[in-house]
Amino acid sequence: MIPHPPRPSLAPWTNSLIVTLTVLVFLTAYARTFNCAFRGNDDTVWLYLTGVELFRGGGAPLHEAVREYLPAQPDGQRALQRWDLKMNYAGNYLLPSVLIYAASRAIKPITDGFESNYALFVTLSLALGVILSAVVALSVLRWAILSCDSWAASFGTLLGLAVIAALSVLPEEAPKNLVDTGGPLQSIGYLLKLFFVTGPEPSIFGYTPRSQFLVCALAVFLLRWHKHWMGGYVLTILLSLLHQSMAGLLLGLLVVLDLIARPQLFDRKTVAVVLLGAIVMFGRETLFSTLGLWPAIVALVIVIMAIGAVMAAHRYGKRLPWWEALDNRLLGPVRRHADRLGAIGADLAIAWALWLLTLPVALVAVRLVDPARPIISGARSICAC
Amino acid sequence: MLLQPVTIVGLAILAIGWLEANLVERRWLYATIVVVAVLAVAPAAVQAITHYDAGLLRAGRMLNQYNGLLGKPLPALDIQTREAALYYAMALELDGQPNLVKPMLGSQWQWPAPPRQ
């Protein structure tokens, strides 16, 4: 067989050019989504308020006054629960809150100079703040692509973002609750449709902190797919500054993916970093109490720690016959398949399998729980992930 | 939400890696990807240009409506609009304009409110 002649490689500057093109694709789709979706609704104004409260303080008596006022209103209990949920969530988006407040202080002298009203001031502060936040997220993605130093990563991210940008212009359905979609099969169909047409707000090109988190989560996976495992974990922990709850979910997902596919990753240094990140996140998390999720979270942590302890014992020579049987019959074949699929294929296959396995729980939960209770939001979030 | 970008980008990297390994001339592959990317993003670019001011105008109009609700008892509103108006009033009050929120909560509050400690 005649070997192929050596293939010409592209000049190093071409990689930077492709990454710049990727950034332009992102910014184009971001501009389109911003123009189609940016609005002064409750969530957006609340995001501005979190920034003001962070630096100015003094909001507690006002919150107390509103909490006394709401129960007497129509839908009062629901309104009160929503208010409490939002107030307990106020520290969730530390970096976006800081950026929005910083933007407002930068804009203030200009708008004051034009004797503008407060509405214009808040609109411009929010717009500049969310754009700054998106620029930070995009810089993280750009750094991750360049760290990978791989043509496939650069061109793959360019192509992937362009495909998502093309999907983003497809006409979308009005967002629904999973309960309103019909039976379980219709709900699954709706979720699969949502995979292709997400709508502007949950999109990677959206203006909310969640969208910017998705950009950075993509950077985490790019690092992992190029063997920067520790970098992926450290970045995930740092993402708690951007979106605390989603960072916790992502950290959990990464730990489960690696426990299943590549447990040899968990040396002392990695375990220490993951544990430290988990402790910091749990320490800062305020939503579990509001949603009444602490018992479930504690149970989950105990299960994961028990699995980790068993695996550590196994690695250091302690023989547990039942674990060996489980390892040989279930996890062994999964790891062999994961090795064959490579880092990308294994992560995607296991993540989709986990989503499908946990989906019935979320589908049952949204039907059993009173839709007025805030816990429904948690179940919806897990479903949507 | 998380699975969409990760899956699409992951599959794109896998496909490109496979094509790189099996095609002799990679430059055509890379050129094709750039052309496909530009074509794919073109509709979004058109909409970004034609609606260039829609987001700011929409947000500005909504916030202006909340301006009209400041400092007097709130009328009957849906939950989200009432929340937005209250957040807006709280932000304005914390930003230095006193006595905006409590008058919006009805007549049980003293007006003008006593100075805050």
Side-chain angles (χ1 to χ4, degrees):
Chain A
M1 186 178 163
I2 302 168
H4 290 307
R7 295 184 294 187
S9 62
L10 299 180
W13 59 265
T14 323
N15 201 24
S16 294
L17 190 68
I18 294 308
V19 177
T20 307
L21 191 58
T22 307
V23 168
L24 286 175
V25 165
F26 180 90
L27 289 176
T28 307
Y30 180 81
R32 182 258 170 201
T33 311
F34 182 88
N35 291 334
C36 290
F38 185 62
R39 65 192 68 232
N41 60 2
D42 54 329
D43 290 337
T44 317
V45 183
W46 173 70
L47 200 54
Y48 178 77
L49 178 63
T50 60
V52 176
E53 282 197 311
L54 191 64
F55 286 91
R56 301 225 149 189
L62 301 178
H63 285 300
E64 223 20 70
V66 174
R67 293 187 81 259
E68 283 177 29
Y69 159 82
L70 286 175
Q73 303 306 308
D75 266 346
Q77 283 310 313
R78 188 167 162 233
L80 186 61
Q81 281 170 337
R82 280 176 57 92
W83 192 271
D84 285 343
L85 186 71
K86 285 261 177 72
M87 290 315 112
N88 282 306
Y89 217 44
N92 199 55
Y93 313 113
L94 202 56
L95 182 65
S97 299
V98 169
L99 289 173
I100 288 169
Y101 186 75
S104 75
R105 296 310 106 175
I107 282 176
K108 200 167 176 48
I110 303 168
T111 51
D112 284 351
F114 288 96
E115 296 182 358
S116 94
N117 65 20
Y118 195 70
L120 179 66
F121 166 68
V122 175
T123 304
L124 294 178
S125 304
L126 277 166
L128 182 59
V130 297
I131 288 170
L132 285 176
S133 200
V135 168
V136 170
L138 189 55
S139 306
V140 171
L141 180 63
R142 182 181 177 280
W143 164 77
I145 300 170
L146 290 173
S147 302
C148 294
D149 198 21
S150 142
W151 290 104
S154 306
F155 280 99
T157 312
L158 169 65
L159 185 60
L161 286 184
V163 168
I164 301 170
L167 291 173
S168 73
V169 298
L170 295 176
E172 50 165 319
E173 277 183 49
K176 289 179 195 163
N177 285 333
L178 282 181
V179 185
D180 302 334
T181 51
L185 282 179
Q186 283 88 345
S187 296
I188 292 171
Y190 173 70
L191 286 173
L192 290 177
K193 208 185 288 177
L194 212 57
F195 175 84
F196 293 102
V197 187
T198 56
E201 287 190 6
S203 156
I204 192 171
F205 304 120
Y207 66 89
T208 59
R210 184 175 46 197
S211 302
Q212 286 130 31
F213 174 87
L214 295 180
V215 178
C216 294
L218 183 56
V220 168
F221 277 92
L222 283 175
L223 289 174
R224 286 167 59 80
W225 294 340
H226 292 84
K227 315 290 181 207
H228 302 303
W229 308 104
M230 179 64 96
Y233 276 114
V234 172
L235 180 55
T236 304
I237 292 164
L238 289 176
L239 290 186
S240 61
L241 297 173
L242 190 58
H243 196 308
Q244 160 89 23
S245 309
M246 291 285 281
L249 280 175
L250 180 61
L251 183 65
L253 174 66
L254 297 187
V255 169
V256 173
L257 285 179
D258 289 337
L259 278 176
I260 293 173
R262 44 192 92 88
Q264 70 278 6
L265 275 185
F266 289 102
D267 55 11
R268 283 182 188 173
K269 211 189 316 179
T270 312
V271 170
V273 167
V274 170
L275 274 180
L276 183 70
I279 289 167
V280 170
M281 286 186 194
F282 279 117
R284 286 193 64 229
E285 184 61 67
T286 51
L287 204 60
F288 296 150
S289 320
T290 316
L291 297 178
L293 285 177
W294 268 118
I297 296 296
V298 169
L300 194 66
V301 169
I302 289 171
V303 168
I304 291 177
M305 285 181 72
I307 292 172
V310 168
M311 291 177 77
H314 186 66
R315 182 182 289 181
Y316 289 106
K318 175 86 178 160
R319 304 192 68 78
L320 300 165
W322 60 271
W323 175 258
E324 280 183 8
L326 183 73
D327 197 47
N328 289 335
R329 285 184 194 163
L330 182 68
L331 295 177
V334 172
R335 271 179 215 135
R336 280 194 292 279
H337 283 298
D339 283 345
R340 272 206 300 275
L341 288 171
I344 301 178
D347 272 4
L348 293 182
I350 297 172
W352 274 98
L354 287 171
W355 183 76
L356 284 172
L357 284 173
T358 50
L359 186 59
V361 178
L363 289 177
V364 170
V366 293
R367 280 168 174 76
L368 290 183
V369 179
D370 174 9
R373 286 187 59 196
I375 194 170
I376 203 86
S377 307
R380 268 188 223 132
S381 302
I382 292 164
C383 259
C385 278
Chain B
M1 285 187 296
L2 177 61
L3 283 177
Q4 192 221 35
V6 171
T7 304
I8 291 177
V9 171
L11 290 178
I13 294 174
L14 282 178
I16 291 168
W18 184 85
L19 288 169
E20 272 183 332
N22 291 284
L23 290 177
V24 176
E25 182 53 81
R26 286 182 295 173
R27 290 182 185 193
W28 284 109
L29 170 66
Y30 295 151
T32 309
I33 292 167
V34 170
V35 171
V36 168
V38 170
L39 290 176
V41 85
V46 170
Q47 288 189 5
I49 293 165
T50 53
H51 297 77
Y52 71 97
D53 57 352
L56 282 178
L57 287 178
R58 189 187 311 110
R61 271 196 300 270
M62 289 176 82
L63 292 176
N64 252 330
Q65 286 173 358
Y66 309 142
N67 255 344
L69 300 170
L70 291 174
K72 51 194 175 197
L74 282 169
L77 295 167
D78 65 275
I79 286 184
Q80 285 170 298
T81 310
R82 184 173 60 207
E83 280 176 3
L86 287 169
Y87 296 146
Y88 182 78
M90 286 176 80
L92 185 49
E93 188 160 332
L94 294 178
D95 249 346
Q97 288 203 30
N99 299 330
L100 288 174
V101 176
K102 290 184 179 177
M104 294 169 76
L105 305 180
S107 57
Q108 68 267 42
W109 299 100
Q110 293 176 10
W111 177 250
R116 272 191 284 143
Q117 297 297 312

